[in-house]
Amino acid sequence: PQVANLTLRIGTSHSKSEVGVATALDFLFGLDGRLPVVGLIGGVFSSIALPVATLSSVLTTPHCAYAASSPALSNKQVYPYFLRTFPPDVVQGKAMWKWIKVFRIP
């Protein structure tokens, strides 16, 4: 069987979209002197995940953001290489409303 060699690299956005994009570019093109990455994980905030997802779409690179909740990121025609582990705001809102109704929260 083939075994893949996986190397994890950690970068930062400092909670700023322009820093997140710069870090993604460094990783994707190896501008930091290391080998380019084959995928991205991160962009906790939608404000960071959106521009990074645009970049990953153009470069056909998988991108997973584990907490970005913008409904715009669900558009697979615009962000075909983006996925998330957190539901979009619309889904969360509907679930919260149902929870309030079921438990009769005042």
Side-chain angles (χ1 to χ4, degrees):
Q2 281 190 317
V3 178
N5 184 9
L6 180 66
T7 301
L8 299 177
R9 292 173 51 196
I10 299 173
T12 187
S13 68
H14 295 295
S15 299
K16 297 178 182 175
S17 59
E18 63 274 11
V19 177
V21 168
T23 300
L25 285 169
D26 287 348
F27 283 10
L28 290 166
F29 290 110
L31 301 176
D32 58 353
R34 299 186 62 191
L35 290 174
V37 299
V38 296
L40 298 169
I41 298 174
V44 175
F45 306 114
S46 296
S47 60
I48 298 165
L50 281 160
V52 173
T54 300
L55 180 64
S56 69
S57 293
V58 170
L59 299 173
T60 63
T61 303
H63 173 209
C64 177
Y66 48 89
S69 61
S70 171
L73 290 164
S74 296
N75 186 339
K76 288 299 178 190
Q77 290 188 334
V78 178
Y79 305 109
Y81 291 88
F82 178 81
L83 61 110
R84 61 174 139 211
T85 60
F86 199 76
D89 291 330
V90 174
V91 173
Q92 290 182 72
K94 288 179 183 178
M96 183 62 76
W97 181 247
K98 187 174 182 178
W99 182 79
I100 289 170
K101 286 175 52 179
V102 166
F103 291 102
R104 297 187 176 127
I105 306 297

